[in-house]
Amino acid sequence: MSENSVSNKQVLTSPLLVEQNSIYSKMLSDIINAVFVSGDRLVTTQLAERYNTSINPVREALKQLQGEGFVNIALNSGASVTKFEATNTRDVFEVLQLLDPYLMEWFVEEHSDEQRDELSEILSAMEKVALSAEPAHALYRHLDTQFHWLMYKDHYNKNAVELWRRNRLILHVAHASLTLSKRRIEQSISEHRTLLQTLEKRDVGKTLKTLKAHIANSGRYWSRYQVR
């Protein structure tokens, strides 16, 4: 990837990244936003210049990303962005199909009106992106993540929350360079709107049914376009 194309990319920092100013977070944000895509080499000197830091923090960040599976480091060829296979994302979706309903059930019963109002604001922003002539796919996925993270992040089971967070990040990286069809965006908006309606009624059964359909539809869509 050329230096100009890298510098012109809009980089959105995922709400799933806690330390948003660290070199690790900046590098992972670049991968999530397809500044660096699957298979791209990650040269330490160029990264240090991009993030205005020295070599050592870059190397430490690369090691952390390697440990989490986002980066591969080979002895003779250096670091590169991981190439996720279809089986990787299939496994991730299966994990999320178990975790999302578990986390959501607690939120349905325990959420505040203020949290639901915030979800409504996020959905309005998603609808605005969807109505634009050329939807900003990265921004839409960013808002979608905010929507779900708001519902799950305060759950009492922090181990489950962390497992969800890590698997969601994997999906971000695996799908970084892919786009959503207009039909899928419209379907997704409708699913989120229904979720809000069932949340307002605190209807656990209907909320979980809508959520499971939402995850299944996402899984079917991305499985068609997964890079093999």
Side-chain angles (χ1 to χ4, degrees):
M1 182 173 292
S2 70
E3 185 177 345
N4 286 337
S5 62
V6 168
S7 61
N8 290 334
K9 276 276 190 178
Q10 181 187 19
V11 177
L12 299 166
T13 303
S14 172
L16 303 181
L17 297 176
V18 180
E19 299 176 359
Q20 299 199 353
N21 291 320
S22 67
I23 301 302
Y24 160 84
S25 293
K26 291 177 181 179
M27 201 178 300
L28 186 51
S29 291
D30 277 344
I31 296 172
I32 290 171
N33 286 276
V35 173
F36 303 116
V37 299
S38 176
D40 274 358
R41 287 192 63 213
L42 299 169
V43 181
T44 54
T45 52
Q46 294 176 0
L47 293 170
E49 182 178 355
R50 175 171 175 78
Y51 305 126
N52 193 28
T53 188
S54 60
I55 295 293
N56 283 339
V58 169
R59 287 175 175 165
E60 291 173 4
L62 287 171
K63 287 180 181 178
Q64 185 176 351
L65 290 167
Q66 179 190 28
E68 295 175 353
F70 298 117
V71 166
N72 288 322
I73 300 178
L75 184 60
N76 296 320
S77 55
S80 62
V81 180
T82 297
K83 294 181 179 180
F84 286 97
E85 304 294 336
T87 52
N88 297 126
T89 52
R90 179 204 64 197
D91 294 348
V92 167
F93 269 114
E94 288 182 0
V95 170
L96 292 177
Q97 282 178 316
L98 297 173
L99 285 175
D100 274 75
Y102 167 73
L103 297 171
M104 176 64 91
E105 184 172 359
W106 179 85
F107 184 78
V108 175
E109 298 177 337
E110 301 296 333
H111 76 274
S112 65
D113 291 344
E114 290 76 16
Q115 286 173 311
R116 199 170 61 249
D117 289 343
E118 190 173 348
L119 288 173
S120 182
E121 290 176 5
I122 296 171
L123 180 56
S124 294
M126 293 169 69
E127 291 172 333
K128 184 176 180 180
V129 172
L131 289 172
S132 60
E134 296 184 7
H137 299 280
L139 177 56
Y140 185 86
R141 286 198 293 265
H142 179 80
L143 292 167
D144 178 65
T145 299
Q146 281 187 323
F147 190 97
H148 288 273
W149 183 236
L150 175 62
M151 294 188 290
Y152 302 156
K153 65 184 179 67
D154 294 324
H155 195 282
Y156 66 87
N157 190 333
K158 298 308 178 186
N159 288 330
V161 173
E162 178 62 13
L163 185 58
W164 182 89
R165 186 186 74 86
R166 288 182 176 274
N167 277 276
R168 185 79 178 203
L169 281 170
I170 291 172
L171 285 188
H172 275 313
V173 173
H175 299 153
S177 59
L178 302 179
T179 59
L180 289 159
S181 68
K182 182 178 180 180
R183 182 177 180 276
R184 177 54 198 152
I185 290 177
E186 290 173 350
Q187 183 184 43
S188 174
I189 291 289
S190 176
E191 291 162 356
H192 284 85
R193 191 180 296 118
T194 303
L195 276 175
L196 269 181
Q197 292 168 353
T198 57
L199 278 171
E200 186 173 5
K201 297 176 182 178
R202 297 187 187 271
D203 189 324
V204 175
K206 289 185 178 179
T207 301
L208 294 184
K209 182 179 179 181
T210 301
L211 178 67
K212 290 175 182 178
H214 174 58
I215 299 169
N217 288 336
S218 295
R220 280 192 292 270
Y221 179 83
W222 290 119
S223 66
R224 298 173 194 157
Y225 300 101
Q226 174 65 47
V227 178
R228 299 177 185 275

